[in-house]
Amino acid sequence: MSTESNNGRRLRSISDAIRTRVRLKPVVVAVFAVTGLLSLAGFASQSIIDDRQRSPNDMTDAAIDRFWAVFHGNDYSAISSVQRQLDAAVQANPDNPTLHALLGATHFWHLGEASRDSIPDDPVLAQDMSDAEDAFDKALKLDYYTPHPIGYINDDHLPGYLGITTVHLGQQNHDSALIGKGNQILDFAVYQFPEFNNFNRWAAHLTDAKESAGYKEGLDSLWQAIDNCVGGTIRRDNPDVGPYLNLATSVGRKKACWWESNIAPYAFEGIMLNLGNGLVKAGQVPQAKIVFANARYAKNYATWPYRQYLEQLASSNLYARSAMYRDDPLTDPPLTVPNRSCSYCHATVPEHDGSQSNARR
């Protein structure tokens, strides 16, 4: 597997561009960074003092609730505010793995949808992947390797989050050893929670060269995710999930597969979008058309904020799109909603910060 993946080049290009602009305009960037942080905080310094006088559990619950309100509310502009609240809660309750995990998610979201940042030169973006990896690492160690009450259930999402951020960080830094470490974490993650973490193993390598082992293994992981969801092997030549709709559930681990998850309400549509685009990249257009059509099976498809993108894609010339994949990150069509990494599965409402048009480019 080539360590110089397109995803790595894309991440490095973002970081290098930010670092270059910061060196050229350090004072201006610093002023805008601080101003943006204060204006997005949503509370004054006095309210932070008030929060610190609350019990750790109160602060923890408030920070967690705020994260989900902003994440599901598609409010990218509030990320800095959420991070401040989570940081304060971590100071009061440093051994809570959920706080660290959600803090990691804010960094991943911030970088993954950087085109929405109101500060194009935001220096925080250059550090986001490292911060995400560090936060997920802390969350996993606390969740897996510290004492818990009898009956505590580990969060098996966490190895997948750590694995994908470790791979991306390795790609960003030309570090093959770190990529290998991330892949090992992802292998463990898939063993622990195949319905969910097979998607993370795919997402870690979706922009690898289409003929590379990494890309082929990633695409196979996405197939494996669906196989685990349906409890069998879905036909690769005719991947219609219609016969399996009776398996849809809102409880247990398999809720990650469908449209009734309280964490990712549009996970089903997101999986079909990724698999369809992955098959287009691999040259399997007839199968991709079936997969794109699968998305309409979701009971909440009509309310999906990003359905217009999938419909435009499905009605386009997919053979011409397939021919565009030449393993150049500057010309390869994106395999997700353009410029979006989290919102198209998690957001329950359309974007309201003026950035929706970027998601259709």
Side-chain angles (χ1 to χ4, degrees):
M1 178 181 62
S2 171
T3 60
E4 181 66 12
S5 71
N6 289 334
N7 198 42
R9 292 199 297 272
R10 181 179 64 83
L11 290 169
R12 282 194 301 281
S13 66
I14 292 173
S15 296
D16 291 345
I18 292 168
R19 292 190 182 103
T20 298
R21 289 193 289 263
V22 169
R23 285 196 297 269
L24 291 173
K25 303 185 295 181
V27 176
V28 174
V29 170
V31 169
F32 276 112
V34 173
T35 303
L37 183 63
L38 294 176
S39 65
L40 296 176
F43 44 76
S45 59
Q46 182 59 45
S47 67
I48 297 175
I49 295 173
D50 293 341
D51 279 345
R52 288 175 179 169
Q53 293 171 349
R54 299 166 63 186
S55 74
N57 286 339
D58 286 344
M59 290 188 67
T60 295
D61 291 345
I64 291 171
D65 290 345
R66 178 80 192 293
F67 169 85
W68 287 113
V70 167
F71 201 41
H72 286 149
N74 214 350
D75 192 0
Y76 179 90
S77 64
I79 289 177
S80 295
S81 170
V82 173
Q83 288 174 339
R84 285 166 64 93
Q85 193 166 353
L86 286 168
D87 279 330
V90 166
Q91 293 299 314
N93 194 2
D95 295 330
N96 186 294
T98 299
L99 293 174
H100 292 283
L102 296 185
L103 191 57
T106 64
H107 287 289
F108 193 86
W109 183 24
H110 187 231
L111 177 60
E113 302 187 7
S115 67
R116 301 174 70 174
D117 197 322
S118 61
I119 308 171
D121 298 333
D122 191 347
V124 175
L125 291 164
Q127 186 63 27
D128 269 323
M129 191 60 71
S130 179
D131 288 341
E133 192 268 348
D134 182 61
F136 287 135
D137 184 50
K138 290 177 181 176
L140 181 62
K141 288 176 178 176
L142 287 168
D143 190 68
Y144 269 53
Y145 307 119
T146 58
H148 294 294
I150 294 174
Y152 182 88
I153 300 174
N154 292 115
D155 184 351
D156 290 330
H157 295 83
L158 293 175
Y161 298 149
L162 177 60
I164 188 174
T165 51
T166 302
V167 169
H168 284 335
L169 191 60
Q171 292 166 338
Q172 178 177 302
N173 296 335
H174 300 271
D175 190 335
S176 59
L178 196 55
I179 294 172
K181 177 183 176 182
N183 286 331
Q184 289 181 335
I185 297 171
L186 286 169
D187 289 343
F188 170 77
V190 167
Y191 174 77
Q192 293 293 95
F193 191 176
E195 295 90 345
F196 177 76
N197 285 319
N198 266 305
F199 184 89
N200 281 317
R201 190 158 62 178
W202 148 256
H205 294 285
L206 60 81
T207 56
D208 285 4
K210 66 180 181 180
E211 298 300 330
S212 69
Y215 183 76
K216 293 177 180 178
E217 291 168 1
L219 187 57
D220 184 61
S221 287
L222 205 47
W223 281 119
Q224 289 178 43
I226 297 176
D227 288 345
N228 278 277
C229 287
V230 303
T233 303
I234 193 168
R235 290 179 57 179
R236 290 348 188 212
D237 62 330
N238 182 25
D240 178 14
V241 300
Y244 305 100
L245 296 181
N246 63 303
L247 299 175
T249 181
S250 62
V251 299
R253 294 192 168 208
K254 293 190 185 299
K255 71 179 181 180
C257 308
W258 305 98
W259 49 80
E260 296 180 359
S261 167
N262 58 330
I263 295 176
Y266 299 97
F268 180 82
E269 291 93 326
I271 291 170
M272 295 306 149
L273 172 62
N274 274 262
L275 179 58
N277 267 329
L279 292 171
V280 170
K281 179 173 176 176
Q284 301 175 46
V285 172
Q287 295 91 331
K289 291 181 178 180
I290 296 171
V291 171
F292 286 141
N294 281 339
R296 294 178 176 271
Y297 284 131
K299 290 184 178 180
N300 62 354
Y301 178 77
T303 63
W304 184 29
Y306 294 92
R307 68 186 181 280
Q308 183 177 359
Y309 171 73
L310 183 140
E311 291 169 358
Q312 291 172 348
L313 176 63
S315 64
S316 68
N317 186 336
L318 295 179
Y319 287 98
R321 185 180 182 88
S322 183
M324 294 174 65
Y325 289 99
R326 299 184 178 88
D327 306 315
D328 181 347
L330 298 179
T331 60
D332 280 0
L335 300 188
T336 64
V337 174
N339 302 313
R340 301 294 178 266
S341 65
C342 301
S343 55
Y344 65 88
C345 284
H346 293 274
T348 60
V349 297
E351 298 171 15
H352 51 84
D353 53 7
S355 54
Q356 186 77 33
S357 59
N358 287 338
R360 297 176 184 160
R361 292 178 183 172

